[in-house]
Amino acid sequence: MKILRAYTDSFKGLSREAWMLSIVMLINRTGSMVIPFLGVYMTGHLNFDITHTGIVLSFYGIGSVIGSWLGGFFTDRFGEYRVQSLSLFLSAPLFIMIPLFPTVEGMACIILLQSIISETFRPANSVAITKYAKPQNLTRAFSLNRMAVNLGFSIGPALGGILSAISYEFLFAINTSGALIAGIVYVKFFRKRHKLFQAKVQERQNHQQELVAKVKEKSKSPYRDVPFLIFCFFCTIFSICFFQFFNTIPIFYKEVAKMDQATIGYVLGYSGFIIVLLEMLVVNLADKYLSIAKTILYGALLCAIAYAILAIDHHFSVLLLSITLLSVSEILVLPFMSTITALRSGKENQGAYMGLNGMSFSFSFIITPLLGTQIVYQLGFDTLWLGTGSILALSAVALYFVIRWMLPQDKYTQAEGLGGH
């Protein structure tokens, strides 16, 4: 009963807006089932070799970096509502256009453009979560949003594996539908709320001069915030290792473990299911009993173990253990990294901070497929997994000390608005 009560308590106190942002994300990410299958699509359907596949996947990363920066830039200037709306509606037709570009150069161009537009959504969405969440519920609001992402990735890859076995064109069409539906739901719910919120903020600023002073005090550029830059550097190192989940792991499953596309989809979907089932409970418990630094330390170390054991055996049970550890690692690391970014920013530069932190993850989409496929080509998968585990272990320790430096109080009470520059 205590576990059940703790589980239900983890969902209490979240705003309606936080729930709706998560529902929009669920619809969008369920439709984004094509992303884990891009590598398989290029190697199996377009007959690209693994080197060319890695190059094309790196263009997704380049677009992600550009999109994250643009998303932060435009969010601070035009607001998160406009940026999210345009990103959802503009990205929709690009999914269905992917089959029209079957060459290496064509795929690189369409993936670059699609990634730029899609990734402008993320910093704006993070700012919206910060905007509508209660301070004491900030990490749980991020976790709810990520739970929706993973529920989408749980449904999406499983469905994507089935659809891609029938027709990749059908798969791309479903992606288009998902983005369009998410855009319609978002605009319908948030159009009036956005206007009301803006009016309340203006009234509050007119009557509370101390708020204006606080905003000015915290308007420092994230690019001059040295502790935050170091934090983002190690976020990049972590993400380069972690996000092999989206490119080299599916190829490993296909080439080494000899899984078919449907089975790959089910395994990736299982990961999303684990996160959906456990994220809110684990985050709520970590929030109560662990410091942010220790939470991220343990999560990164679990990630190191998850990759290292892939070099030991390729039995299906080992693969399931690995993906389970990766899922728990994701729960313990990613939402708290978002919380740290939100705490570090001020009202006038939230988009810039979210954009810069998003870029630190987006760089992995450039580096990971190129580096991962080249290591596999030259040295094999076992070397990749052991090297990844070692680097993750070192980055876990580094993140622990950097976060202790950034957040001296080292507890979630920072959400009250502390954590200045």
Side-chain angles (χ1 to χ4, degrees):
M1 289 299 293
K2 288 184 178 180
I3 295 177
L4 180 61
R5 188 178 301 111
Y7 190 82
T8 55
D9 286 347
S10 67
F11 289 90
K12 291 181 179 179
L14 296 168
S15 66
R16 290 182 63 191
E17 290 82 4
W19 280 99
M20 184 53 66
L21 284 168
S22 299
I23 290 171
V24 170
M25 185 65 79
L26 170 62
I27 298 169
N28 187 36
R29 293 304 161 181
T30 300
S32 296
M33 63 189 75
V34 69
I35 295 173
F37 287 93
L38 283 175
V40 178
Y41 171 70
M42 287 184 283
T43 56
H45 187 75
L46 299 181
N47 298 316
F48 292 0
D49 61 37
I50 194 167
T51 301
H52 284 137
T53 298
I55 291 171
V56 173
L57 289 173
S58 72
F59 274 83
Y60 182 88
I62 295 170
S64 183
V65 171
I66 297 170
S68 293
W69 181 80
L70 289 175
F73 179 83
F74 288 133
T75 296
D76 284 338
R77 281 153 183 79
F78 304 110
E80 88 292 336
Y81 173 78
R82 291 181 181 177
V83 174
Q84 288 184 91
S85 301
L86 287 173
S87 176
L88 290 169
F89 285 118
L90 291 178
S91 66
L94 294 176
F95 284 114
I96 207 167
M97 292 172 62
I98 290 175
L100 303 178
F101 298 85
T103 65
V104 173
E105 295 81 4
M107 279 293 293
C109 289
I110 190 65
I111 293 302
L112 174 67
L113 182 59
Q114 195 279 331
S115 179
I116 290 173
I117 294 175
S118 294
E119 292 302 312
T120 58
F121 179 84
R122 287 185 177 272
N125 184 258
S126 296
V127 169
I129 293 170
T130 305
K131 169 180 170 180
Y132 290 112
K134 299 175 182 177
Q136 65 272 22
N137 295 332
L138 185 58
T139 301
R140 289 197 293 126
F142 278 116
S143 295
L144 181 67
N145 193 266
R146 279 184 19 78
M147 188 181 77
V149 171
N150 284 285
L151 180 57
F153 275 128
S154 179
I155 299 169
L159 183 58
I162 297 170
L163 295 177
S164 64
I166 301 170
S167 167
Y168 276 105
E169 287 75 12
F170 192 34
L171 174 64
F172 295 133
I174 296 298
N175 275 265
T176 296
S177 301
L180 283 174
I181 294 171
I184 292 168
V185 172
Y186 176 77
V187 169
K188 185 174 179 61
F189 185 85
F190 281 99
R191 182 169 52 190
K192 290 183 179 179
R193 282 172 170 79
H194 171 69
K195 293 179 180 178
L196 289 172
F197 187 89
Q198 291 298 101
K200 288 180 180 178
V201 169
Q202 186 62 48
E203 181 180 353
R204 192 182 304 124
Q205 288 179 342
N206 289 339
H207 291 85
Q208 297 180 353
Q209 294 301 318
E210 67 274 11
L211 177 62
V212 177
K214 183 179 179 181
V215 167
K216 290 180 179 178
E217 180 185 321
K218 297 189 74 176
S219 62
K220 182 177 180 179
S221 168
Y223 299 94
R224 296 196 299 270
D225 186 348
V226 174
F228 185 72
L229 289 173
I230 297 173
F231 169 71
C232 286
F233 171 77
F234 285 109
C235 286
T236 302
I237 299 299
F238 173 84
S239 61
I240 288 170
C241 297
F242 175 80
F243 284 113
Q244 291 179 100
F245 177 84
F246 288 114
N247 32 67
T248 47
I249 276 190
I251 296 172
F252 172 76
Y253 287 164
K254 184 176 178 64
E255 301 294 332
V256 178
K258 304 300 181 184
M259 294 182 185
D260 58 28
Q261 290 166 222
T263 306
I264 294 172
Y266 293 142
V267 173
L268 297 179
Y270 163 78
S271 170
F273 173 77
I274 290 295
I275 294 171
V276 169
L277 182 66
L278 298 179
E279 174 144 5
M280 293 298 290
L281 175 62
V282 171
V283 166
N284 194 37
L285 292 174
D287 207 23
K288 288 181 178 178
Y289 300 112
L290 294 175
S291 67
I292 295 177
K294 285 185 178 179
T295 301
I296 292 181
L297 171 67
Y298 298 153
L301 288 175
L302 282 179
C303 191
I305 296 169
Y307 278 112
I309 63 174
L310 291 177
I312 298 173
D313 195 355
H314 305 150
H315 190 273
F316 189 72
S317 60
V318 176
L319 302 183
L320 279 182
L321 175 60
S322 172
I323 204 72
T324 301
L325 293 177
L326 274 178
S327 302
V328 177
S329 167
E330 184 176 345
I331 292 171
L332 291 172
V333 174
L334 297 189
F336 287 93
M337 285 181 172
S338 297
T339 298
I340 290 169
T341 304
L343 297 177
R344 198 73 185 171
S345 67
K347 294 295 183 182
E348 290 185 337
N349 56 13
Q350 283 182 344
Y353 268 83
M354 292 298 180
L356 177 56
N357 189 246
M359 287 168 62
S360 70
F361 288 93
S362 298
F363 276 120
S364 69
F365 293 119
I366 303 173
I367 299 169
T368 302
L370 287 173
L371 184 61
T373 52
Q374 282 302 306
I375 291 175
V376 169
Y377 180 75
Q378 299 290 339
L379 302 171
F381 275 106
D382 287 352
T383 301
L384 175 64
W385 302 141
L386 290 173
T388 297
S390 300
I391 293 170
L392 279 166
L394 292 174
S395 67
V397 176
L399 280 166
Y400 173 79
F401 286 107
V402 171
I403 295 166
R404 289 290 301 272
W405 178 27
M406 291 176 63
L407 305 178
Q409 295 187 16
D410 201 30
K411 286 303 295 179
Y412 188 70
T413 51
Q414 296 271 335
E416 298 296 332
L418 303 176
H421 302 178

